[in-house]
Amino acid sequence: MIDLHYWPTPNGHKITIFCEEAGLPYRIVPVDIGAGAQFTPEFLVLSPNNRMPAIVDHAPADGGEPISVFESGAILIYLAEKSGQFLPAAPRWRKQVLEWLFWQVGGFGPMLGQNHHFTRYAPEKIPYAIDRYQREAARLYGVLDKHLAGREFIADAGFSIADMACQPWAAAHAWHHINLADYPNVRRWHDAIAARPAVARAYALEASFKRPAEMTEEMRRNLFGPPA
């Protein structure tokens, strides 16, 4: 059994998608980031960077004590190696999956997250920051669109953890002020993954977690820290 410390964000969706696709038994432990659950001492033992998701594997491959893993990219690699799924063993294919996984965790996610922040949440609208991150979002979608030309999935070996990492961020394209009609290869890929039954089950879990319609000051402090 895998304990998945989760909240329905793009990074959280990555792991539910993997577990549903791989058929791994898992139990969700909610981490309400708006309420500050990511700062509890118990959670910080698992994720010292106070970010979810994190997992605890109660049946690790070595048969020893439970293993905890934090950071979504590291979790995907760990689960892929544990299950023998979605990360090819052949070096040329494996390196391609890892290249695009790291592209997502190092750029596609963080830059789109900054886009979210400055266009939706920042109390002060800063034109330079908005322009900077909207242009970078458009550039990154363009990189992905060009790569997907002539490909069904991100990696030539087939559906992989690279797709699981990138698709939940692309699913929030409206938040990035991105029209997927401008990126037809991304749109085709995104829609095909969203239609997979296991992916649909993963996204359906979001309905179980109630969040306020409006961001409160407490939520703002928990998500972004107190004002300087």
Side-chain angles (χ1 to χ4, degrees):
M1 177 66 71
I2 302 288
D3 283 347
L4 169 56
H5 296 257
Y6 160 94
W7 200 244
T9 71
N11 287 335
H13 292 319
K14 295 176 188 179
I15 314 306
T16 53
I17 289 172
F18 186 98
C19 291
E20 291 291 337
E21 286 279 355
L24 288 180
Y26 69 104
R27 177 177 72 98
I28 286 181
V29 181
V31 181
D32 186 343
I33 57 177
Q38 69 273 34
F39 300 112
T40 64
E42 296 80 8
F43 184 70
L44 288 172
V45 170
L46 306 178
S47 180
N49 194 38
N50 60 267
R51 295 289 187 271
M52 71 90 226
I55 66 167
V56 178
D57 181 2
H58 292 280
D62 64 6
E65 293 296 314
I67 293 176
S68 64
V69 189
F70 73 101
E71 291 295 324
S72 61
I75 295 169
L76 287 174
I77 293 171
Y78 177 87
L79 293 177
E81 292 179 340
K82 174 185 175 68
S83 67
Q85 300 182 68
F86 306 116
L87 179 59
R92 295 177 188 273
W93 287 355
R94 182 183 179 90
K95 77 91 186 174
Q96 189 184 39
V97 171
L98 294 178
E99 283 173 338
W100 286 94
L101 173 63
F102 280 82
W103 177 82
Q104 188 281 310
V105 298
F108 198 55
M111 293 299 102
L112 299 184
Q114 292 299 316
N115 185 314
H116 291 176
H117 181 77
F118 285 106
T119 60
R120 294 178 67 90
Y121 297 130
E124 177 186 356
K125 299 304 181 185
I126 304 171
Y128 174 83
I130 292 171
D131 178 67
R132 158 86 174 100
Y133 290 111
Q134 287 188 346
R135 284 189 293 107
E136 181 63 2
R139 186 189 74 81
L140 290 165
Y141 273 90
V143 169
L144 184 58
D145 193 71
K146 182 178 179 180
H147 176 72
L148 285 168
R151 289 185 171 91
E152 183 179 5
F153 299 112
I154 288 176
D156 294 329
F159 185 62
S160 73
I161 57 174
D163 300 288
M164 297 179 193
C166 292
Q167 197 270 351
W169 283 95
H173 54 88
W175 282 31
H176 314 143
H177 305 276
I178 291 291
N179 183 352
L180 286 189
D182 297 330
Y183 305 92
N185 298 313
V186 174
R187 180 173 61 181
R188 169 190 50 76
W189 161 85
H190 167 275
D191 292 349
I193 292 176
R196 294 171 69 94
V199 175
R201 290 196 302 271
Y203 280 118
L205 294 168
E206 184 168 4
S208 301
F209 300 89
K210 304 299 184 184
R211 291 176 290 184
E214 298 293 331
M215 180 171 290
T216 66
E217 284 305 311
E218 179 188 6
M219 290 175 64
R220 187 179 296 277
R221 286 193 302 272
N222 288 328
L223 293 170
F224 309 128

